[in-house]
Amino acid sequence: MAQWQEVQLLEKVYLEKVHELYSEDHLPMEVRQYLAPWLEDQNWSRAAEPHSAEAHMLFHTLLALLDDQYSRFGTRTEDFVLKHNLRKSKLNLQAKYQECPEQLANVIANLLREEKAILNRGLKAQQAAAQPTSSAPMETDRQQKIERRLAETRAAVQELDREVRHLEELQDTFDFRYKMHRMVANGAPASPELARQTEQLQAMLNNLDRSRKSLWQDVLARAQELLGRCETLRDFLLEELAEWKERQRRACLGAACDTSLSRLQTWFTAAAEVLFQLWRLLRALGDQHAKLTYLHDPLETQRPLLESRLQEHLSCLLRSAFVVEIQPIMPFPNQRPLVLKTGSKFSVRARLLVKLQDRSHRLEAKIILDQHPPDVKGFRKFNILTSTSKTLVQDDPQMEGLVCDFRHISLKDQRAGASGKGSKGASEGLPAVTEELHLITFTLDYKYQDLVLELQTSTLPVVIISSNNQFSSAWASVLWFNMLSPDPKNQLFFSAPPAASWAQLAEVLSWQFSVATKRGLDEDQLHMLAEKLFGLEATPASTLTWARFAKDNPPVFSFWTWLDGILSLIQEHLAQLWKDGHIMGFVSRKRERQLLKRKQMGTFLLRFSESSRDGGITCSWVEPGEKGQPKVRSVEPYTKMELKSLALPDIIHDYQLVAAENIPENPLKFLYPSTPRDEAFGKYYTERREVDLLEQKKYLNQRLIRVSSRQPNEPWLPEGMVEAPPAAEGPGPDQLEVLELGPDQLEVLELGPDQLELGANGLEALEQELDLMRFDSAGSNMLRGGDPYLPLPDDTPPLVLPGNTLFLGANDFPALQVDSKDFQ
């Protein structure tokens, strides 16, 4: 069904809105009626572009179709009026738009959009009437005051409108009778009838004068009172708008906030309608004053003051109503706005909350980057590569607002060959790239009923980068600025960034996890992070500086670098496990031991490594120790590199240790606090083919399973190995020590600082000793050679014996390097 046919089936209240839509002399309703299908099939928005050839073609086609429709009427009496109206409509359109058919295209495009919006509202109301009503959200006290004040001002301005119309009718009646009397009396002899009519006109004039004096004074006083109410209403609306902007700011950081503008748009439009109606009434009073005035007429002195005050109200309301609805954001990653990369596309949207538009005037917004850049050495400048202007349109039928949607915008650094590296700028005393803030500004020339204003609005500051490896640091800047800056336009914020309290930071950090992983941080996890930053004395009032939060100082990395690495690890490899609560995540080693030692043997938990820059996760479990005391053991953290090859649930499922009886056993039995392992992780296990299983077990043998319960400076012995007692006259403590091994276990060589002397067959014997270190893969998941907690990197060259001597010193064998930071 065509849109025009659907519109005619709406209820009366919506049909009235359609009649109001076509009440102005832009496009006669009879033209809409006769050419309905053709009008709806054309792309009027494209034709409305300046100097469009399509607009001329459509304009002449429209006139031709009207001629065709005119010729279809017959000679019946009832067709006479229809032919007259249609011919008049064609002549009016031709006279009005012959030189500027783009204006007609713009008018038709706007009419069709508004018509569609009325249709959608009507259909939605019909659907709502057929369904049970749902409970509306709770209104705040200020929102209730706004609704009441809007109702009061509407009623007041309508009452004023009736009184002004009454004065106009009295004036028009007098004017008509006076003109008729002049026509009759002109040249006619005096007569009693003429004298009686003159007396009636004089009485009418006296009555009109009394009415004007009393009513005009009353109308002006009530208009003054109405402006006072509108001022209070405007203040309420500005408070609501400020709260919406703060909610939008928090939503950019990840908070779950309502950023819908539908209610604000309804309020702003209603307030503007009241003010514009009062504007028209004051203009009507001015017309009355021009027709008839008298000494000390209050209109002469008070009306200009009222108009000036009213224009000030309108200007403030309209300038506030131009807002950034969607802050600048790149498509990927699409959950972190306000970070833009040169050469990459991004989008941003502005909205005018007052949906009042002069249909003959195109509302066009322009976009400017850094309209007033700060006077800072090295501050970068960028060119916008795409179009910098867009026409405001009503693209959302439910919102019905005027929006300006800039999409696929990209930026280019004006400096030739600019690298955009933050480190170079910092070394030269220039601001770091990720601490340089830029503003995007929208400008709009608004015109409605002789009121012309320039409107402006700006985005929140954006950080512009040139490389993806700057993205994390740039997002840290966005977090810090929007968390702490009271001025949303302060581009010099990072010249002296303030410290943040833990109460502020904890909330923002939890938002990062909620957005990226669908699960925020609980109190225990936040408490661990607070202790990591501030120690055991952490309180909500503890403060953290910007440098300590985000500034890397190699080899030490910042708190944010570590935390963002964990976020990335979760998103790429652990999303569902984290969301389902199977990863405890942030727990200190001390707290970990306290939790596990109270549980049954085989209980394990998953936590994030504190020493992995790019994110790592480790598994710790409790097992029997010496004299039956519980002992906590851990694996070296798994990073993205390992988890790319095998998912963490499969690692947990396949994990095995060789017990003293040489029987492989999985020590991970219960996920903390007491959930059986397969019950917790069964749904995540991967169905693997036998060949895949062999390959993954081979990978486990070589790379993944690295177990240690050692403390710093504690010697390490493999499972099932017992240190051999020293012989009476055997090697000393600093010499080669041989430990007894089971058939499938690993032998360890330890060399002290003294040299090792080899006999004639010494080299052969040493080679045999080295052969013992080769790993027999049958039935074991231990690492090949070396310390299983510290496997040799893949790029380490093999050990090479000197070929020109049979005497080897202790330095000829690399010492085993153990760093206490490697222990979990």
Side-chain angles (χ1 to χ4, degrees), residues 368-664:
I368 305 169
L369 180 64
D370 293 326
Q371 187 177 26
H372 304 291
D375 186 14
V376 176
K377 178 184 178 182
F379 189 83
R380 295 172 300 158
K381 297 181 180 180
F382 297 87
N383 293 326
I384 299 176
L385 299 184
T386 49
S387 174
T388 58
S389 62
K390 289 279 185 180
T391 301
L392 269 71
V393 296
Q394 292 181 335
D395 67 337
D396 187 346
Q398 294 184 353
M399 288 284 288
E400 308 173 52
L402 297 168
V403 300
C404 174
D405 209 352
F406 283 86
R407 298 181 181 180
H408 311 301
I409 311 176
S410 59
L411 304 174
K412 182 179 180 180
D413 198 325
Q414 290 184 4
R415 298 178 300 178
S419 64
K421 304 279 177 142
S423 58
K424 180 179 179 182
S427 65
E428 296 176 354
L430 303 179
V433 166
T434 55
E435 295 179 2
E436 193 178 86
L437 302 178
H438 300 265
L439 283 176
I440 297 175
T441 302
F442 293 87
T443 63
L444 172 67
D445 291 330
Y446 181 79
K447 179 181 178 182
Y448 187 74
Q449 294 188 358
D450 299 331
L451 180 66
V452 179
L453 291 172
E454 183 185 44
L455 311 183
Q456 281 194 3
T457 188
S458 297
T459 66
L460 292 170
V462 299
V463 178
I464 303 176
I465 60 176
S466 59
S467 172
N468 286 332
N469 60 18
Q470 298 169 325
F471 192 87
S472 180
S473 298
W475 181 242
S477 299
V478 170
L479 293 178
W480 206 259
F481 175 88
N482 289 286
M483 179 173 59
L484 298 175
S485 177
D487 179 8
K489 296 183 180 181
N490 181 12
Q491 293 182 259
L492 298 178
F493 173 81
F494 284 104
S495 60
S501 70
W502 174 243
Q504 294 171 306
L505 185 59
E507 183 180 41
V508 173
L509 295 181
S510 185
W511 293 343
Q512 305 315 296
F513 280 82
S514 296
V515 171
T517 68
K518 311 305 178 187
R519 174 192 165 201
L521 301 177
D522 59 32
E523 291 185 7
D524 291 335
Q525 293 165 336
L526 289 172
H527 181 70
M528 180 268 176
L529 293 177
E531 288 189 347
K532 180 178 178 66
L533 288 171
F534 309 110
L536 297 178
E537 303 301 323
T539 67
S542 301
T543 57
L544 184 71
T545 63
W546 164 244
R548 198 170 162 218
F549 175 74
K551 294 285 191 178
D552 290 342
N553 187 19
V556 180
F557 47 86
S558 69
F559 174 79
W560 172 251
T561 298
W562 169 72
L563 196 69
D564 203 31
I566 291 173
L567 279 168
S568 178
L569 181 73
I570 295 175
Q571 283 184 291
E572 295 180 21
H573 300 289
L574 306 171
Q576 199 59 44
L577 291 177
W578 172 262
K579 183 179 179 182
D580 292 344
H582 295 322
I583 299 174
M584 186 170 290
F586 299 101
V587 55
S588 65
R589 295 185 181 95
K590 179 180 178 181
R591 179 62 176 163
E592 172 193 74
R593 290 193 294 272
Q594 291 175 348
L595 295 175
L596 289 176
K597 285 185 176 181
R598 301 172 185 171
K599 297 297 178 180
Q600 57 184 319
M601 298 301 106
T603 301
F604 67 98
L605 57 81
L606 301 171
R607 65 175 177 84
F608 298 120
S609 167
E610 297 182 51
S611 58
S612 298
R613 173 190 175 94
D614 297 323
I617 188 167
T618 185
C619 177
S620 301
W621 70 92
V622 62
E623 64 179 28
E626 296 180 0
K627 300 180 182 180
Q629 295 298 317
K631 179 176 62 174
V632 176
R633 300 183 70 177
S634 302
V635 296
E636 187 180 350
Y638 303 129
T639 63
K640 294 178 184 179
M641 183 176 65
E642 289 98 2
L643 297 178
K644 283 179 182 177
S645 299
L646 193 61
L648 184 61
D650 294 329
I651 293 175
I652 293 172
H653 178 267
D654 295 340
Y655 183 70
Q656 292 181 342
L657 286 178
V658 178
E661 298 81 6
N662 296 328
I663 301 174

Side-chain angles (χ1 to χ4, degrees), residues 169-460:
E169 289 173 359
L170 290 177
Q171 181 73 55
D172 291 342
T173 302
F174 173 78
D175 289 345
F176 176 76
R177 295 187 64 175
Y178 179 72
K179 290 178 182 178
M180 294 298 296
H181 175 73
R182 289 286 301 272
M183 291 175 60
V184 172
N186 189 17
S191 66
E193 180 62 24
L194 191 59
R196 188 179 62 82
Q197 291 180 1
T198 303
E199 291 176 1
Q200 289 178 348
L201 282 176
Q202 185 62 50
M204 181 179 291
L205 179 60
N206 294 338
N207 181 48
L208 175 61
D209 184 52
R210 286 192 301 270
S211 298
R212 288 176 71 253
K213 288 180 179 179
S214 60
L215 287 177
W216 283 10
Q217 190 67 42
D218 182 57
V219 165
L220 291 173
R222 289 163 65 181
Q224 192 90 356
E225 180 186 359
L226 179 58
L227 275 177
R229 293 184 180 182
C230 289
E231 185 174 355
T232 306
L233 174 62
R234 182 200 64 190
D235 293 341
F236 286 152
L237 290 177
L238 294 183
E239 290 173 8
E240 283 289 323
L241 182 62
E243 287 190 3
W244 175 85
K245 288 182 177 180
E246 182 60 28
R247 289 198 303 272
Q248 186 194 50
R249 197 175 184 184
R250 292 162 65 88
C252 286
L253 303 186
C257 298
D258 179 15
T259 57
S260 170
L261 282 169
S262 57
R263 198 168 192 184
L264 270 174
Q265 182 170 266
T266 300
W267 289 337
F268 268 83
T269 301
E273 285 174 340
V274 169
L275 292 176
F276 274 117
Q277 189 170 0
L278 186 57
W279 176 283
R280 290 193 297 269
L281 292 179
L282 292 179
R283 290 295 178 90
L285 290 177
D287 294 339
Q288 292 292 317
H289 176 262
K291 292 180 179 179
L292 183 63
T293 186
Y294 54 89
L295 190 63
H296 305 303
D297 189 344
L299 283 180
E300 186 173 355
T301 56
Q302 295 185 31
R303 188 182 63 83
L305 295 176
L306 283 175
E307 282 192 352
S308 176
R309 186 179 170 192
L310 176 58
Q311 185 169 351
E312 180 183 345
H313 282 317
L314 274 170
S315 300
C316 179
L317 186 72
L318 289 168
R319 289 192 172 101
S320 303
F322 194 36
V323 298
V324 177
E325 181 180 12
I326 299 178
Q327 295 290 337
I329 185 170
M330 294 190 296
F332 303 103
N334 58 3
Q335 293 177 322
R336 289 184 172 180
L338 303 175
V339 178
L340 309 179
K341 181 173 175 287
T342 54
S344 297
K345 306 293 185 182
F346 71 93
S347 59
V348 60
R349 174 189 287 183
R351 179 179 290 273
L352 183 61
L353 298 177
V354 174
K355 52 186 181 183
L356 299 177
Q357 177 185 10
D358 186 345
R359 296 185 187 91
S360 63
H361 176 70
R362 289 166 53 86
L363 291 180
E364 189 173 76
K366 296 181 180 179
I367 189 171
I368 305 169
L369 180 64
D370 293 326
Q371 187 177 26
H372 304 291
D375 186 14
V376 176
K377 178 184 178 182
F379 189 83
R380 295 172 300 158
K381 297 181 180 180
F382 297 87
N383 293 326
I384 299 176
L385 299 184
T386 49
S387 174
T388 58
S389 62
K390 289 279 185 180
T391 301
L392 269 71
V393 296
Q394 292 181 335
D395 67 337
D396 187 346
Q398 294 184 353
M399 288 284 288
E400 308 173 52
L402 297 168
V403 300
C404 174
D405 209 352
F406 283 86
R407 298 181 181 180
H408 311 301
I409 311 176
S410 59
L411 304 174
K412 182 179 180 180
D413 198 325
Q414 290 184 4
R415 298 178 300 178
S419 64
K421 304 279 177 142
S423 58
K424 180 179 179 182
S427 65
E428 296 176 354
L430 303 179
V433 166
T434 55
E435 295 179 2
E436 193 178 86
L437 302 178
H438 300 265
L439 283 176
I440 297 175
T441 302
F442 293 87
T443 63
L444 172 67
D445 291 330
Y446 181 79
K447 179 181 178 182
Y448 187 74
Q449 294 188 358
D450 299 331
L451 180 66
V452 179
L453 291 172
E454 183 185 44
L455 311 183
Q456 281 194 3
T457 188
S458 297
T459 66
L460 292 170

Side-chain angles (χ1 to χ4, degrees), residues 72-84:
R72 294 173 184 269
F73 291 120
T75 57
R76 296 177 302 172
T77 306
E78 55 269 24
D79 289 342
F80 178 77
V81 177
L82 296 177
K83 292 172 68 175
H84 170 79

Side-chain angles (χ1 to χ4, degrees), residues 695-754:
E695 288 296 320
Q696 289 170 348
K697 284 190 174 182
K698 179 180 178 183
Y699 183 79
L700 283 170
N701 292 337
Q702 294 176 343
R703 184 67 182 162
L704 289 180
I705 304 303
R706 292 163 286 182
V707 185
S708 177
S709 60
R710 292 179 296 163
Q711 299 300 319
N713 303 321
E714 177 184 336
W716 178 83
L717 295 178
E719 289 286 336
M721 181 181 293
V722 179
E723 185 175 359
E729 297 182 3
D734 294 328
Q735 295 175 320
L736 177 65
E737 181 178 3
V738 180
L739 304 178
E740 298 296 331
L741 295 170
D744 294 328
Q745 294 177 331
L746 186 65
E747 184 169 0
V748 175
L749 296 178
E750 296 183 3
L751 292 176
D754 298 338

Side-chain angles (χ1 to χ4, degrees), residues 636 641-642 702-703 706 783-787 789-799 816-817:
E636 187 180 350
M641 183 176 65
E642 289 98 2
Q702 294 176 343
R703 184 67 182 162
R706 292 163 286 182
L783 286 169
R784 301 169 185 258
D787 187 341
Y789 187 65
L790 295 170
L792 290 174
D794 295 337
D795 56 353
T796 301
L799 183 66
L816 179 65
Q817 300 295 326

